[in-house]
Amino acid sequence: MARDLTLGQYYPVESFVHKLDPRVKFIIMTMYIVGVFLVKHMYGFIVVAAFAILSTLISRVPILSVLKSLKGILFIVIFTAILNVFFHKEGRVYFTIGKLLVTEGGVFFAVKMALRLILLVLGTTLLTYTTTPMALTDGLERLMTPLSWIKIPVHDIAIIMSISLRFIPILMEEVQKIMKAQRARGAEFDKGGLIKRAKALLPILIPLFISAFRRADELALALDARCYNATPNRTRYKKLKFTYRDLIALLSGISYIVLIVAINHRFWIPDLIYSIPFV
Amino acid sequence: MSIKVKNLSYTYSPKTPYEHKALEDITFTIEEGETVGIIGSTGSGKSTLVQHFNALIKLQSGDLVVNGIDLAAKKINYKELRRDIGMLFQYPEYQLFEDTVAKDVAFGPKNFGYKKEEIDLLVKEAITLVGLDYEEVKDKSPFELSGGEKRRVAIAGVIASRPKVLVLDEPTAGLDPVGKREILELIHKLKSAYVKTVIMISHNMDEIAEFTDRVIVLNDKYLIHSTTPDNLFRDENALNGTGLRYPHVVRIQNLLRENGLDINLEKFTVDSLINEIEKEVFKKDN
Ligand SMILES: Nc1ncnc2c1ncn2[C@@H]1O[C@H](COP(=O)(O)OP(=O)(O)OP(=O)(O)O)[C@@H](O)[C@H]1O
Ligand SMILES: [Mg+2]
């Protein structure tokens, strides 16, 4: 399990999506998220879902792995859906449970919100699956460069981010090691009630903190020893390049947004389809 | 009390892109009373192998019977298993966490269900055994001790539960030569007085040659030798392709032999080497 988490969630295969410039991926991700919040009609949702599914197919990450990320939010999705069903009252009443009304509008609203959440997570998961943490911070730093004109220390922020990201897998490995060592001494982490379990974490957390501080100290020393400072004009090991792939990706991102807005405002789209129920 | 390994294979993160075969078709047996060394270059699977012994790593394929407990079984008494197989990890001082040495050493015995009065005795005994002054260190924080002392406390924390087998993963890593020597002698002492069986992973061939009576050699997930240090280190081709080097005493012996000194070490220790050289030189002088 350690290694699965070791590289963030990065899924190492070669694909069109993996090769995209991280900046472009960020921009498209932003477009995608905007789209997820803009859609109103069910047909719009089909466009968003199609965009997500197509991207996943192109990325060659198994759809099942991407779907796994939904496990974590399943509870929230169901919970908010139930709340939405009951608190949104509009249109035809399907049935009542005590004083609670289940209406047509409520059901649609709930389904749409649930879909939004699911699509949101799917899209962002794909980003972390296809981009290494290093590329992510690098891309983000480049995109934030304009902020440095108003004296925001973009480079420092980026280096802090990438160091933190770099250390997550190391600390995860450390946790595994410490857990093993304590289990060898008879510790159990999955037995007993809440309080007992919380207490059982101490033998992991204390060594973990100590080692994290030790590592931070060592890293600071090592940076100092190499005269590191975040001068703005550092050169880079990996140059980001904008290629025809990025152009294609950007264009499809733009068409995606246009399509969603068009569906929302009923441009070009024959009125006929809006007459079908549930949109 | 024995460890029987048969056709054991292990793969990390199976069926993911990170899939990695760490052990392949390993078979050997360790009998009670042995001191076994496990050697192999980095990444050859040593740690993965020994962590099977107390079920920190779940058996994937093959058979493993430890102390009569079949680890392929559905229900395993982990407490009993882990009490009997004491395991010291690499850099064990990083597992210390209590605010006093005595409490930290008592962590194992407490978990394994020893009674209160027993625990006090066990802790005292363990701390004394590892060569620390019980009264002096018992109320100290483990974090204010020196590196070597911390490691002793960690060892005490393992042997306090009175294991029958002691597994040590590179017990001398990161210590200075004197500290290394002291820890090795401590292990030797424990072996003769306290634990019956010792299994030690090491990158230091001299330690292995001197302190073990059998060596298991792993090379890139396969077991390639399981024999006495004597047999292993006398065979000049045994370690070909493993990236491992022969113990210094063996290499010196071989060099001297090539240069006309008829030296045959009985034991792979520096003392024995010096004795042999003295004998030979003495013979030549006459
Ligand atoms: N948690 C893990 N997940 C995935 N792969 C792992 C994990 N732990 C170890 N490996 C891999 O399995 C192989 C064997 O590792 P192991 O730790 O057993 O080697 P080792 O012989 O103990 O090496 P060393 O001498 O460096 O301690 C290595 O290639 C390692 O990269
Ligand atoms: Mg190891």
Side-chain angles (χ1 to χ4, degrees), chain B residues 232-247:
Chain B
L232 182 74
F233 295 131
R234 273 186 221 293
D235 177 356
E236 291 188 10
N237 297 318
L239 297 183
N240 283 355
T242 59
L244 297 170
R245 309 189 76 178
Y246 284 83

Side-chain angles (χ1 to χ4, degrees), chain A residues 2-3, chain B residues 12-13 20 22 41-48 90 170 203:
Chain A
R3 294 294 157 102
Chain B
Y12 280 106
S13 321
H20 182 95
S41 53
T42 298
S44 54
K46 306 179 293 295
S47 302
T48 309
Q90 236 168 349
E170 300 193 35
H203 277 284

